Amino acid sequence: GMLTNCHQDVARGKDKGSQVVMSDMTIESAGEDGTLRTIFTAPGRDIAYEMNGRFDSPSGRIRLVPGEWISDRPSYWNPCAVDGWLSKDLTTFSAVALCGDNMENICAPGGGEAILRHGRSQFLVSGAGDKKVNGVYKAATMDDHRLNPDMYIEGAVFIQDGCASIHDGLDDDDCLHHVLIHKIIGNHRFWALAPIDNGEAGDAIYQAWSEDVEPPFSGWRPVNSMSRPPGVSFVADTVHLHADIDPKGKLMESGDYLYLVLVLFGVLLWGAAIRLASTINVTSSGTKVKGKGVLVR
């Protein structure tokens, strides 16, 4: 996700990119008592250190304080505590930096804000006139050999994960060479669909003006052609997230309970019907009830 510079007044100079820092947070361990150990990194900037704290499951609140440095500490970076909230579907963490001596928010307006999405977030690009860009895009990782780590400095990167099942006539060789990337163009941020060229994002095929941490679902346009623009939709498997993160905490929705009750009721009826059939014989002359010696005409 993204973290805004605490000192926005300083960051508003020529270096527009310093206003926003791309950020990753990895959960290393989570205790049953709510304790968390995480690692914060700033991709492309060689910054990595521990962030430790607690998670309150009922409210979704997470409070973390800086721990040991993993990388060398640069002189320009001052780690701050964070106070944030995890969304109910476990996909999004939004937080504010507490950089004061007493863990209060002293950042400039708009500074110290963070929003991060779960690494399993995936987006479906579909309907583009240039069919090679269509397909599912997953969050790129620093160890993906197809990408230069410097691509992460400007914004989030999602890499194409195949599209043969979506459009006939194309295979993975055609489809695994594009990125969905957030980048700075001029003084603004744009999301772009672009080919991968020697580990870098090439010239955009489609782009959409958006400062959002997520790619926009609409508002796309072709850059150097008249090709039909795509649509984008969110396809993360949140059920899988629940199963992985809190296997005992998954609660069934009311519709699931109703379905379970109906299935159980159906099983009971079926069992009753089988038992009844074993005690009643239907004949052409009447019905014989076993055990009583009675013939009902």
Side-chain angles (χ1 to χ4, degrees):
M2 298 191 296
L3 169 67
T4 61
N5 193 313
C6 183
H7 305 289
Q8 288 288 291
D9 50 346
V10 176
R12 290 187 187 281
K14 292 183 179 180
D15 186 9
K16 179 78 173 180
S18 65
Q19 286 184 248
V20 177
V21 177
M22 296 315 301
S23 308
D24 284 343
M25 185 173 290
T26 302
I27 298 175
E28 290 292 301
S29 63
E32 294 183 0
D33 59 351
T35 56
L36 284 178
R37 178 178 175 270
T38 73
I39 294 179
F40 174 89
T41 59
R45 295 176 183 264
D46 295 327
I47 293 174
Y49 52 88
E50 294 182 0
M51 293 283 288
N52 304 315
R54 300 188 67 85
F55 169 54
D56 180 60
S57 182
S59 66
R61 189 179 187 181
I62 296 177
R63 292 175 68 91
L64 300 170
V65 296
E68 296 293 327
W69 274 85
I70 298 172
S71 67
D72 293 333
R73 179 175 179 173
S75 59
Y76 63 86
W77 192 274
N78 180 34
C80 299
V82 297
D83 186 11
W85 304 86
L86 185 65
S87 63
K88 289 185 178 180
D89 63 2
L90 306 180
T91 63
T92 307
F93 176 59
S94 57
V96 62
L98 306 176
C99 297
D101 293 337
N102 297 316
M103 291 182 62
E104 70 270 19
N105 183 5
I106 62 170
C107 293
E113 296 282 348
I115 183 165
L116 297 93
R117 290 197 65 90
H118 194 280
R120 279 204 180 97
S121 296
Q122 296 182 0
F123 295 90
L124 173 65
V125 175
S126 60
D130 189 335
K131 294 184 177 181
K132 291 191 296 295
V133 306
N134 291 321
V136 173
Y137 288 72
K138 67 178 182 179
T141 58
M142 292 290 289
D143 58 356
D144 195 309
H145 65 278
R146 290 175 288 177
L147 304 179
N148 187 326
D150 290 341
M151 286 181 64
Y152 297 84
I153 294 179
E154 290 190 11
V157 181
F158 295 87
I159 192 166
Q160 201 173 26
D161 196 35
C163 64
S165 61
I166 299 174
H167 288 284
D168 294 336
L170 296 175
D171 56 31
D172 287 347
D173 289 337
D174 298 313
C175 298
L176 296 179
H177 309 292
H178 297 84
V179 288
L180 178 59
I181 185 171
H182 206 197
K183 58 190 303 184
I184 299 170
I185 302 177
N187 292 323
H188 300 282
R189 287 183 173 271
F190 289 80
W191 279 93
L193 282 161
I196 301 172
D197 184 9
N198 293 323
E200 305 283 350
D203 294 335
I205 301 173
Y206 300 98
Q207 68 183 33
W209 178 22
S210 173
E211 303 287 332
D212 201 336
V213 67
E214 302 174 9
F217 292 170
S218 58
W220 293 84
R221 69 170 183 84
V223 178
N224 292 313
S225 71
M226 298 298 291
S227 177
R228 183 178 68 253
V232 176
S233 56
F234 182 57
V235 292
D237 184 359
T238 55
V239 174
H240 194 186
L241 294 179
H242 279 276
D244 283 354
I245 296 176
D246 189 11
K248 295 182 179 179
K250 238 188 348 177
L251 296 178
M252 288 189 294
E253 301 292 340
S254 59
D256 295 330
Y257 279 113
L258 178 60
Y259 177 76
L260 181 60
V261 169
L262 289 175
V263 170
L264 181 60
F265 184 65
V267 170
L268 291 175
L269 282 180
W270 182 251
I274 293 176
R275 182 173 180 81
L276 187 62
S278 67
T279 59
I280 298 177
N281 290 330
V282 179
T283 67
S284 60
S285 59
T287 303
K288 294 180 180 179
V289 181
K290 293 181 178 179
K292 297 294 184 180
V294 177
L295 176 62
V296 181
R297 297 285 183 181

